[in-house]
Amino acid sequence: NFADRVATNFVAVRADSAGKVCFYTSATTHVVWDQVAETAALAAHVGVRKYDAREPMVGGASQGNNGHRNAPGEVVRIQASDHRTTVFGNLTVANPLNPGHTVLYPCDQPKPATSVNNFLGGRNNANAAMVRTDAQGFICASSNEWAHLIWDQAAESDDVTASPAPVRLLDTRR
């Protein structure tokens, strides 16, 4: 699905005690690492899959969709923390039927008009995201097309404050 395609993304990762990070790919590929910042404000850790629509629901919680694609406009509540904080991770769209976009936002806010991940039909696509949780630690995700949504969380921070409601500051199409 990704053969002969260049894909980019952003990642938050904690280096080991020697200042090194490790990479793993599931296929032969070239990897380019462009480092843009360092901070102690992020509690980066090994990524944790918090939601995968391809997996069965766990104990009735909204941590899976029993293998069914998320419906257009369906809002998924993801437990990302146990309190209000900013979380960092990747929102992946897997097996989308048509081109579309996703949104990610605190569940106590209205669904924004800003996109987090734009994708083509039939192509998996991951994009890094930073979002503030609601007071109970939930984030909400939604797609405007049939697709499996996946949230992999890599860091949390009480010191980095994401905007409570995403705002589009530039759109050259208008």
Side-chain angles (χ1 to χ4, degrees), residues 101-123:
H101 68 272
T102 60
V103 294
L104 188 66
Y105 57 100
C107 290
D108 60 358
Q109 297 294 315
K111 190 184 290 188
T114 58
S115 62
V116 169
N117 188 334
N118 300 293
F119 53 89
L120 299 173
R123 285 206 148 164

Side-chain angles (χ1 to χ4, degrees), residues 11 19 39-40 49 54 56 60 65 70 82-83 91 97-98 105-107 120 127 132 138 147 172:
V11 64
T39 181
R49 181 151 291 166
R54 302 168 303 175
N65 201 23
N70 297 100
D82 60 359
H83 66 288
L91 184 61
L97 292 182
N98 298 299
Y105 57 100
C107 290
L120 299 173
N127 199 32
R132 189 89 169 145
F138 282 91
T172 62

